[in-house]
Amino acid sequence: MSVAKKQYKRVTTKSLVDMKANGQKISMLTAYDFTMAKIVDGAGIDVILVGDSASNVMAGHETTLPITLDQMIYHASSVVRGIERSLVVVDLPFGSYQSDPKEALRSAIRIMKESGGHAVKLEGGKEIKESIKRILNAGIPVMGHLGLTPQSIYKFGTYTVRAKEEEEADKLLEDALLLEKIGCFAIVLEKVPAKLAQKVAESISIPVIGIGAGGGVDGQVLVTHDMLGMTHEFNPRFLRRYLDMFEEMTSAFKKYNADVKSKDFPNESEQY
Ligand code: KIV
């Protein structure tokens, strides 16, 4: 007997490319756990990114560098259990793909096998071309990431807008064309001038998903904890906050604290 299952039209790498061709914008948010993934997926967000930003928002590290492959697999497998429709893209963390293409493939295979994610994301262009090709040759879809690439923060020295100068902007466009040519299905473009981002999006047929890259691209991504207002201290210009969860949660916790101390909680109907 077959188990009756709700039929959702799953988002695929192909449907994202089709969305761009049809002029439909793509929505993407991060998630790192089952409960959040279930809510994000249920809200109709197209892509869930298990970002290495988990290193910041979940683990409290200053950068994305410390998170390990095992930790990314743990987060990604929790997310995959929560979704029915969204495409799940998982970041390859710092140190899991930079040394050589074989290592990159091994890391990508572990992500796909052990988490059940649908694609991987790597930061960089020409310099990691062979690694991306190797992963793609194994049948694993790859999302690129250009512009501000936080795994290189110690090279940049700052989180400010990238590619304002012509030389860096030219390299970025070249890298985007290369990523499209070798077979990436999409590219994240982080913190670059809106004009440049639009030019990149218009120059390639795969979707460009922006964060701090203006409205001329094919989709938008935000870190969920930021857009929910949980990370009060993080205030870049590109961030739109849809809730003030920091305030909401603080006031709920204060109320609970007061209710416990005053013996108001639990009441008669809240016990057995
Ligand atoms: O790790 C992450 O959350 C990301 C997004 C900022 C795009 O890479």
Side-chain angles (χ1 to χ4, degrees), residues 131-142 179 182-185:
S131 295
I132 294 178
K133 278 168 87 173
R134 193 116 189 183
I135 296 170
L136 287 166
N137 282 340
I140 301 172
V142 174
L179 293 182
I182 63 178
C184 289
F185 71 91

Side-chain angles (χ1 to χ4, degrees), residues 6 8 30-45 48 78-86 88:
K6 274 189 195 165
Y8 291 96
T30 60
Y32 319 105
D33 66 84
F34 170 82
T35 306
M36 189 69 90
K38 211 169 158 58
I39 299 171
V40 173
D41 177 86
I45 300 301
I48 295 185
S78 309
V79 165
V80 168
R81 285 190 287 272
I83 60 109
E84 293 189 317
R85 174 186 169 271
S86 310
V88 177

Side-chain angles (χ1 to χ4, degrees), residues 30 32 49 51-53 91 121 145 188 190 211 221 223:
T30 60
Y32 319 105
L49 173 66
D52 58 0
S53 50
D91 266 341
K121 175 163 82 60
H145 185 154
V188 162
E190 180 164 356
I211 173 162
V221 55
V223 170

Side-chain angles (χ1 to χ4, degrees), residues 213-225:
V217 290
D218 310 303
Q220 298 294 327
V221 55
L222 286 175
V223 170
T224 296
H225 290 63

Side-chain angles (χ1 to χ4, degrees), residues 20-260:
K20 169 163 180 154
N22 298 331
Q24 278 172 265
K25 296 279 186 187
I26 296 163
S27 56
M28 172 157 135
L29 283 174
T30 60
Y32 319 105
D33 66 84
F34 170 82
T35 306
M36 189 69 90
K38 211 169 158 58
I39 299 171
V40 173
D41 177 86
I45 300 301
D46 300 312
V47 185
I48 295 185
L49 173 66
V50 185
D52 58 0
S53 50
S55 180
N56 309 105
V57 294
M58 300 303 284
H61 293 297
E62 205 176 307
T63 71
T64 57
L65 275 66
I67 199 160
T68 65
L69 186 57
D70 284 335
Q71 288 164 342
M72 287 303 297
I73 290 169
Y74 166 75
H75 286 298
S77 57
S78 309
V79 165
V80 168
R81 285 190 287 272
I83 60 109
E84 293 189 317
R85 174 186 169 271
S86 310
L87 183 86
V88 177
V89 180
V90 186
D91 266 341
L92 280 189
F94 177 71
S96 73
Y97 63 96
Q98 286 89 349
S99 54
D100 69 69
K102 277 192 189 165
E103 182 205 37
L105 177 58
R106 265 196 305 273
S107 302
I109 287 178
R110 280 202 61 201
I111 296 228
M112 301 300 281
K113 254 189 178 332
E114 296 176 41
S115 79
H118 309 136
V120 296
K121 175 163 82 60
L122 283 74
E123 295 184 5
K126 193 171 162 211
E127 52 293 328
I128 56 159
K129 179 177 113 184
E130 294 309 321
S131 295
I132 294 178
K133 278 168 87 173
R134 193 116 189 183
I135 296 170
L136 287 166
N137 282 340
I140 301 172
V142 174
M143 177 180 271
H145 185 154
L146 300 172
L148 178 67
T149 46
Q151 290 178 12
S152 304
I153 185 57
Y154 291 114
K155 182 175 90 181
F156 298 145
T158 157
Y159 285 104
T160 54
V161 182
R162 302 304 313 172
K164 279 162 106 176
E165 307 303 328
E166 201 178 323
E167 195 182 335
E168 194 178 336
D170 289 348
K171 162 136 180 21
L172 192 148
L173 181 56
E174 260 173 46
D175 278 341
L177 290 165
L178 175 77
L179 293 182
E180 175 188 37
K181 188 166 159 223
I182 63 178
C184 289
F185 71 91
I187 297 174
V188 162
L189 207 45
E190 180 164 356
K191 237 177 166 185
V192 299
K195 256 191 172 170
L196 171 65
Q198 181 165 352
K199 185 172 168 192
V200 172
E202 286 169 358
S203 305
I204 59 179
S205 59
I206 57 170
V208 173
I209 302 180
I211 173 162
V217 290
D218 310 303
Q220 298 294 327
V221 55
L222 286 175
V223 170
T224 296
H225 290 63
D226 297 336
M227 62 86 82
L228 291 178
M230 293 170 92
T231 50
H232 247 196
E233 64 287 351
F234 185 62
N235 280 307
R237 185 206 293 204
F238 67 75
L239 176 61
R240 184 179 294 182
R241 289 194 204 285
Y242 288 82
L243 280 177
D244 190 344
M245 286 280 280
F246 185 93
E247 282 305 325
E248 293 287 321
M249 289 172 81
T250 303
S251 103
F253 296 149
K254 281 185 173 166
K255 179 98 179 57
Y256 168 74
N257 194 34
D259 289 352
V260 170

